[in-house]
Amino acid sequence: MAGSRRLRPFGELEAAIMERLWEAGAQRSVREVADALQTRRPLAYTTVMTVLDNLFRKGWVTRELDGRAWRYEAAVSRQEYAAALMNDALAGTSDRAGALAKFVEEIDAEDADVLSRALADALAQRRREAGR
């Protein structure tokens, strides 16, 4: 996936395909993904196949041969992808503390509450693991 290189956000079609795979929560053929995308805009089967192959080579999806067709599934969850983007953004700054402070300033109160609870839970978990 990301490795030591900068993480590139999904392009528009990659994001749409990943959304369909995340929504499905199971393996999907190129045809099934293409059909699911047709409600938004007409796309060639070969275009969807190429993008899925690219996502596979980048490590974002897994695939399994089913007869003569590949079936694809997301290799990471939406949450893992979002977290990877956030971590990559932090890695790209020399002032991590400043970037985090600015982020916290700009999120809405509900997200701040969720973040606060998540931090408290993560710190408690680390303390439990350190005490073992």
Side-chain angles (χ1 to χ4, degrees), residues 70-126:
W70 290 108
R71 296 187 63 77
Y72 293 86
E73 187 171 19
V76 297
S77 69
R78 279 183 185 101
Q79 296 82 358
E80 290 167 325
Y81 173 68
L85 287 174
M86 290 187 280
N87 278 315
D88 192 61
L90 279 175
T93 182
S94 60
D95 184 9
R96 292 174 67 96
L100 286 167
K102 188 66 175 167
F103 174 73
V104 171
E105 271 178 37
E106 293 182 3
I107 62 176
D108 64 32
E110 186 177 326
D111 286 342
D113 288 342
V114 170
L115 180 59
S116 178
R117 286 191 301 276
L119 284 169
D121 291 348
L123 288 172
Q125 179 66 31
R126 287 180 185 170

Side-chain angles (χ1 to χ4, degrees), residues 30-89:
V30 174
R31 172 59 53 209
E32 290 168 324
V33 174
D35 288 348
L37 292 167
Q38 295 306 328
T39 59
R40 295 187 182 235
R41 60 181 168 168
L43 289 167
Y45 174 92
T46 53
T47 300
V48 176
M49 181 176 62
T50 298
V51 174
L52 279 164
D53 186 58
N54 290 341
L55 288 167
F56 171 74
R57 285 188 287 107
K58 293 175 183 178
W60 292 113
V61 299
T62 60
R63 70 182 181 189
E64 184 176 308
L65 198 56
D66 183 12
R68 292 177 39 203
W70 290 108
R71 296 187 63 77
Y72 293 86
E73 187 171 19
V76 297
S77 69
R78 279 183 185 101
Q79 296 82 358
E80 290 167 325
Y81 173 68
L85 287 174
M86 290 187 280
N87 278 315
D88 192 61

